Amino acid sequence: MQLPLLSRYSATTMANDSWESKAKAKREAILEAIPKEWRIETPPVEQRIDVTGEFIQRYLADREVEITETTADEIVKHTVAGLWTAEEVTRAFCHRAALAHQLLDDYYAENKKPIGPLHGLPVSLKDQFHVKDVETTMGYVGWIGTFEGKTGTGKEKVFESEMVKELRNSGAVLYCKTSVPHTLMSGETINNIVGFTHNPKNRQLTCGGSSGGEGALIGLRGSPVGFGTDIGGSIRIPAAFNGLYGIRPSSGRMPYEGMANSMDGQNTVLSVVGPLATSVSSLRLVMKALLAQKPWLHDPFVHELPWRHEQEKEILELTGAIGDASKVGRLSFGVFKTDGIVTPHPPVRRAVDIVVKALQDLGHEVIEWKPPPHNAILDEGMKTWVFDGGVDVKAAFALSGEPMADQVKLYENLDKEFTASEIAATNVKIRQLKKEYMEYWNSTQESTSTGRPVDAIIMPLAPFPAARPKKYVYYGYSTWVNVLDYTSVVVPVTNVDKSVDKADEGYTPLDDRDKEIYESYDPEIYDGAHVSLQLVGRRLQEEKMLAIAEYVGKAIGN
Amino acid sequence: MQLPLLSRYSATTMANDSWESKAKAKREAILEAIPKEWRIETPPVEQRIDVTGEFIQRYLADREVEITETTADEIVKHTVAGLWTAEEVTRAFCHRAALAHQLLDDYYAENKKPIGPLHGLPVSLKDQFHVKDVETTMGYVGWIGTFEGKTGTGKEKVFESEMVKELRNSGAVLYCKTSVPHTLMSGETINNIVGFTHNPKNRQLTCGGSSGGEGALIGLRGSPVGFGTDIGGSIRIPAAFNGLYGIRPSSGRMPYEGMANSMDGQNTVLSVVGPLATSVSSLRLVMKALLAQKPWLHDPFVHELPWRHEQEKEILELTGAIGDASKVGRLSFGVFKTDGIVTPHPPVRRAVDIVVKALQDLGHEVIEWKPPPHNAILDEGMKTWVFDGGVDVKAAFALSGEPMADQVKLYENLDKEFTASEIAATNVKIRQLKKEYMEYWNSTQESTSTGRPVDAIIMPLAPFPAARPKKYVYYGYSTWVNVLDYTSVVVPVTNVDKSVDKADEGYTPLDDRDKEIYESYDPEIYDGAHVSLQLVGRRLQEEKMLAIAEYVGKAIGN
């Protein structure tokens, strides 16, 4: 068992009320929750980089392997038909989740007992969801034993987030919460309770963030489907880095009510909640189930938009999945190989080529995406993350005195809040940028052969397959989607192959940041890592984009 | 012609670049736009309080009276069938609008020529809409000759608001823009260009605001339907005070893109746009036409919610308007006679009784509405109006040096902006209040006999039938709807009858403000004034609420 952070602090030097002792107690409580017979010896990273597939299977019974490697929608078919019981399904995922915890987290993943099975689908949740009987720390030591840092609220371990109730009503089994980076504002997952969470496919890389625990856990098949949140890429990054499908819905589609959050009340660019899973049909399953609960009656931010079958129907007909031959047609894609700010790594560029070729071979159209420059969008979006000058984040760290991880140190150095006028100016500017991009998108109708504007954009989700620890220095490929509130679905495409994905020789970096990212690519280190892309659609196009993502996944053989 | 404000300034004392001279030039340009043969002598208020009906008809040809007293939906039937030409329809409304201007405004209403008829429905617009070839002043002298106070933008008299394009695409004739209070933050309509706008039914009262020009114009049938905006009641107040129907849709339903606004970028409580008209079917007509234009493709804030016939169908079936007898049932209303903060005037209370009795007589259910206290909602909402400490408003006045009207003097005394943290705290609090109210609404399902929560709330829109000038000191009945983003439709109910609506004898006011409003009721002054109520529905329930409002209107004989 690896306990690297603990070794830095001997028990004797820890005061009882120090942040170190509180984090230690929480870690030990998490360990206690793992049955002894599920504990394993974790090999050092050097010995075993990839812990997926065969490696983790050796710790599981055949039946457990079968169950945990089944997609969410297929699991439900088995439980509903009585072929598998909810209990054995949950137990299998608990077992695999416990293994994931020990293999990936510097300490151990938070692992909780199932509360009550219904249809028997285990669903994992990022540690922002409040679940009865379970503590939410959101990675903050200062939140241990509190409700969002406050004591005596009467909500501790009682209050439930709206979506938790709705998942339960839908029959889901909530059996596991997963780690996040403290502040939530990082594409890597690190905090002072669980430590750094590694990538199961390549433990030299980050699992992504902020829904990094979800990504790692589902990547190891310790969960068939889970929910994360995304304000700058936090669902899509861990989905992409772990070879999963993940959707960032537009705001107002899925219920966020009653969840813990960072910088709550910043309402210019809203964090949204959405699922990660091993198949598009699993994403669709849970989103449809939630919408069937009419979340707009319980969350004031959710729009009354039930699942719209007509939206997916158009795509299914065009691609010949349903309907007659007369309705088959082409889809039209925009391809955005680089945003011109940071050049993607060779395997990411190869992934774009794979998808473009597969779609063209099937007769679809791919045109170049030439949008208004992304810089202005990124600049305005970045402002929204520092509106409060770090007040919220600093207060959370001050609760325990714990230090900020390097990945989010940005917040330590802020000292000025935006004024109401400055926020209003940002809101106006972002609205103008949305309008400009919207009209560009409308204008692509002139460039396609379909009579429609481009159906989706094919593009990188990040400049690298996954970031190396502390090397996540550019978020532009994911964040622009949040600023414009578009729908985006991550699609796993391939894996790094060091014999093919050579480093660029003689590349002239665009600037220092581009140089840093260019230099972080090393085929030896990256070999085997997942490579994924995102398909970006317009605002509130969840049904259409899932249908397209499923089609694209099939087109490239996933 | 009354020019009371002008008399205060002799031409010789006006510098050429003074705000007085700029306002005067604008006034004269407005007058020039009225053909000589349409100019009239305006009787003093004392001689003629009510200028609606027979009075204004004497200045119009019979055919003009017929056309201008037809509802929007009926006009379209005539123009589409070729019975009336778009030109004669437009001309008739131009004539009546020119009369309204002279009868109600201290100077004269802004009156513009039609730009191009399509289906031939004249639609009037509050002076926040940018229309090609027409200047937008929004009541600010400093905006004359500019685009929103800025020169050299290239947008002056060229740029068009999104909705203007969509109305045009729908065949509407945009023939007239109407006056607003400067800042838009008043329930009375006063500015230094047009002066104070009176109520056509009773010129001793205000026409309402901020879409006051719309209310007065449509009240005099100088327009069959028009658009206003509402951030605290600004559509509903003029609708109510002029005996009209008006809807405040939830935000994100109708396109606001490209409109002038006060304090643009404040995105906690959004201003929304919506129609006022003489019938519910007119409101429905224009909203359906706009939604058919798919405004979500051109306005990033509009949700993809086409007109939902199923929503109105449920109401139409329950009330027996369509479908078979097996589907007829009861509607369930909550009645909210007073918010407990300010007691409504006697005629407003009588209007509530009229509606409740009519609905009960038809077999519907009316239960008492006992919501969470409104004070907290009003307190938080009020904060959003002063987030910027008056920066935006003061800058607009500073452009010309013109003085603020007493009705909005509040802004003159502000001196502190909210910080990002304070705004975030307000956003969180408002979200909590929305959630609390939402769950109260859900809980009414236990108190109704329909198996549904209450369908709509019957309640006052203001504590008075219309405000007397400078006596609009309480906005709570309208503003809570904006803070919670609910749908609300104003329904005209009755008129003040001094022989019935006696002042309350021996009333003990709740506080000083309640006393001030109590004392502002004088049956002699109010006699004849319109008395209206609002029907409040949940968020984004426009189709349902229009169907209910139409039914209620018929139930009380309108």
Side-chain angles (χ1 to χ4, degrees), chain A residues 155 162 165 257-259 263-268 295-305 308 311 387-389 391-392 417-425 427-428 431-432 434-435 438-439 442 538-541, chain B residues 155 162 165 257-259 263-268 295-305 308 311 387-389 391-392 417-425 427-428 431-432 434-435 438-439 442 538-541:
Chain A
K155 291 183 174 178
E162 198 57 46
K165 296 179 200 166
E257 173 68 33
M259 280 173 64
M263 295 174 275
D264 194 17
Q266 181 278 99
N267 70 350
T268 297
W296 49 86
L297 293 179
H298 296 280
D299 182 334
F301 279 73
V302 174
H303 314 314
E304 185 176 346
L305 284 172
R308 295 162 300 180
Q311 275 209 359
F387 270 169
D388 80 347
V391 166
D392 175 77
E417 294 204 38
F418 275 57
T419 65
S421 294
E422 289 166 342
I423 291 175
N427 289 338
V428 169
R431 188 181 69 220
Q432 289 166 345
K434 284 179 174 175
K435 171 69 172 166
M438 176 177 245
E439 293 302 341
N442 288 335
R538 305 181 82 153
R539 180 169 167 254
L540 294 171
Q541 299 301 300
Chain B
K155 292 183 173 177
E162 198 56 47
K165 296 179 200 166
E257 174 67 33
M259 282 174 61
M263 295 174 277
D264 194 14
Q266 181 278 99
N267 69 351
T268 297
W296 49 87
L297 292 179
H298 296 280
D299 181 333
F301 278 56
V302 174
H303 315 315
E304 185 176 347
L305 284 172
R308 295 162 299 180
Q311 274 207 359
F387 270 169
D388 80 348
V391 166
D392 175 79
E417 294 204 39
F418 275 57
T419 65
S421 295
E422 289 166 343
I423 290 174
N427 289 339
V428 170
R431 189 181 70 219
Q432 289 165 345
K434 283 178 173 174
K435 172 68 173 166
M438 178 176 244
E439 293 302 341
N442 289 334
R538 306 182 80 155
R539 180 168 166 254
L540 295 170
Q541 299 301 301

Side-chain angles (χ1 to χ4, degrees), chain B residues 318-382:
Chain B
L318 282 168
T319 56
I322 61 167
D324 55 47
S326 72
K327 295 193 167 166
V328 175
R330 326 172 77 181
L331 296 176
S332 177
F333 294 87
V335 62
F336 194 50
K337 295 185 176 189
T338 171
D339 65 5
I341 304 167
V342 169
T343 303
H345 283 181
V348 176
R349 301 203 309 264
R350 182 167 62 85
V352 172
D353 293 340
I354 289 172
V355 170
V356 168
K357 181 165 187 312
L359 290 169
Q360 285 174 334
D361 287 351
L362 286 163
H364 300 292
E365 179 174 69
V366 183
I367 66 174
E368 196 186 341
W369 188 248
K370 293 185 265 189
H374 278 204
N375 307 61
I377 300 169
L378 304 181
D379 289 349
E380 296 302 317
M382 180 56 80

